[in-house]
Amino acid sequence: MQSAAGRAGARLPIVGEHPAGADRGLTSGPGEALRIFTGAPLPAGADAVIMQEDVVREDECIVAQSAAEPGEFIRRQGSDLARGQQILTRGAPILAQTLGLLASQGLA
């Protein structure tokens, strides 16, 4: 969603949907919305996310119930850890949550 159209009460046509996973190459134009799922790449042209709890769906449009600022609810790739940050200590047990952490960093 482009935040210029992200004012409270804005009515935006839904032009696509992007599930989590591989980038489908979707784009968003001014005044358009795409439904994206947690973990999906941000579509080109979008600069903010409005949580689905903060919109009302009307047919093939959404109506924003709150304003969206540029960058809102967007997590940039690599923003979860700092370069060189230690994520495990030597000898730490590999648990289910540890596997998720390692996978999130691209480690097999």
Side-chain angles (χ1 to χ4, degrees):
M1 197 251 357
Q2 292 203 340
S3 62
R7 67 187 187 291
R11 183 178 173 85
L12 308 169
I14 301 168
V15 297
E17 181 173 285
H18 198 310
D23 191 345
R24 295 176 60 197
L26 300 178
T27 61
S28 174
E32 295 179 334
L34 287 111
R35 184 166 191 239
I36 64 170
F37 293 75
T38 302
L42 188 68
D47 63 1
V49 172
I50 299 177
M51 302 301 244
Q52 68 181 7
E53 296 84 1
D54 295 329
V55 302
V56 173
R57 186 162 182 164
E58 295 179 355
D59 298 317
E60 294 303 312
C61 293
I62 60 165
V63 178
Q65 301 300 295
S66 62
E69 297 296 323
E72 192 166 352
F73 295 113
I74 295 173
R75 297 200 60 195
R76 301 287 178 200
Q77 185 175 6
S79 67
D80 53 342
L81 296 172
R83 183 179 299 274
Q85 180 179 347
Q86 183 176 6
I87 58 174
L88 290 175
T89 58
R90 185 180 305 268
I94 305 296
L95 307 171
Q97 58 268 38
T98 310
L99 289 175
L101 173 63
L102 294 172
S104 76
Q105 302 308 304
L107 301 170

